[in-house]
Amino acid sequence: MYVGITGYMGSGKGELAKILMKRGFKYISLSDIVREEASKRKKPHSRENLQNIGNNLREKYGSGILGKRIREKIEKSAGGKNNWVIDGIRNPAEVEELSRLQDFHLIGIFASKETMLKRLLFRGRSTEKKSSKKEIERALNREFGEGEPASGQQISACIDTADFVIRNEGALLELKQKLNHFFGLLNGTDRPTFDEVFMELAYVWSKRSTCLRRHVGAVVAKDKQQLTAGYNGAPKGIPHCAELGGCLREKLHVPSGTRHELCRGTHAEQNAITQAAKFGISIEGATMYCNASPCVICTKMIINAGIKKLVFDSEYNDPLAKEILGQQAVVELIRYEGRRFHKKHGFTPAANSCKEPCCSRG
């Protein structure tokens, strides 16, 4: 078995790798390739130097080069027959290369930015001992993709392709329990959590979407029961965009996350809420599960509908929605963790093409 780890610095990748090593996994990291290159170039192994050299290698040899070289190393090592934990995955093309290994599983690990920054300031790793808070924040922002090319640090996109995601805000014991659940699901000894069940249902509902850009599904649940569901597409009885010659937003070159009124479709969250109104179902105090975070219009509807918790899988870049969600205290916003279902149902979350359904909206 091959377990890949992707996540931001300070998210707990190292601790996760140590737990796997105690379970008998051999350790290897894509960063090893970068450090070897840094030594060849006689460059200090600082965080910034390593990030720059990694980007340079991807730009020169292709975005998946680090994953390719690590895969080849593993395959040459005793035929790759051992269990391996592969750390330092930072670009979706690296995931694609490593996915060629039979029985490869990718775990994405994340924490709040505040938690990660606190860990980085106190852990005292050699690459960070002399770094100021601003320097660490700048390095962390690069890992979030700020100012990075497509061939650079794209960890958020890697997490969106993960088979299993872990929210690491607690103690080491909690992290071990979450990893045990991952293995329990693989070997059939664990049942999925209710969060996993309802998020899978959201993905299933999204397969009904008629949107040409993004397929999104939403489920509203309460007391461990599904109440309503929705998916994005044209209103009932209205021609779908495909029947009218294409996507209006594409034709008008509307950037993602803006001008939501310029769309023939109704979002999944809106449909789930209006279905409740249509059938007289109370959703006050319920939880909404969606495979993407909401736009600003959906955000306002979710708050006013009395929904108390929103569990979302992938980030949707709508600045005003994020601002409003940050200002309110009505809805608890939770990034989903657990087994991912996009691969099971044929989703490609990192893709921007409308040829295949994916996990984010346009």
Side-chain angles (χ1 to χ4, degrees), residues 320-361:
L320 185 54
K322 292 180 180 180
E323 180 183 336
I324 291 174
L325 285 167
Q327 293 169 339
Q328 58 85 41
V330 176
V331 182
E332 182 184 3
L333 193 66
I334 299 176
R335 180 75 187 260
Y336 172 73
E337 67 173 338
R339 182 169 56 180
R340 299 287 297 282
F341 303 97
H342 50 73
K343 293 179 183 178
K344 177 179 177 182
H345 295 298
F347 294 90
T348 53
N352 290 318
S353 170
C354 64
K355 293 179 182 178
E356 292 290 340
C358 64
C359 298
S360 301
R361 61 167 57 84

Side-chain angles (χ1 to χ4, degrees), residues 193-203 205 218-227 289-290 336 341:
T193 66
F194 280 101
D195 276 3
E196 288 170 323
V197 168
F198 291 127
M199 188 58 74
E200 180 170 14
L201 287 173
Y203 276 107
W205 277 108
V219 167
V220 179
K222 189 175 183 180
D223 299 328
K224 301 178 182 178
Q225 295 293 324
Q226 177 178 320
L227 300 179
Y289 296 85
C290 190
Y336 172 73
F341 303 97

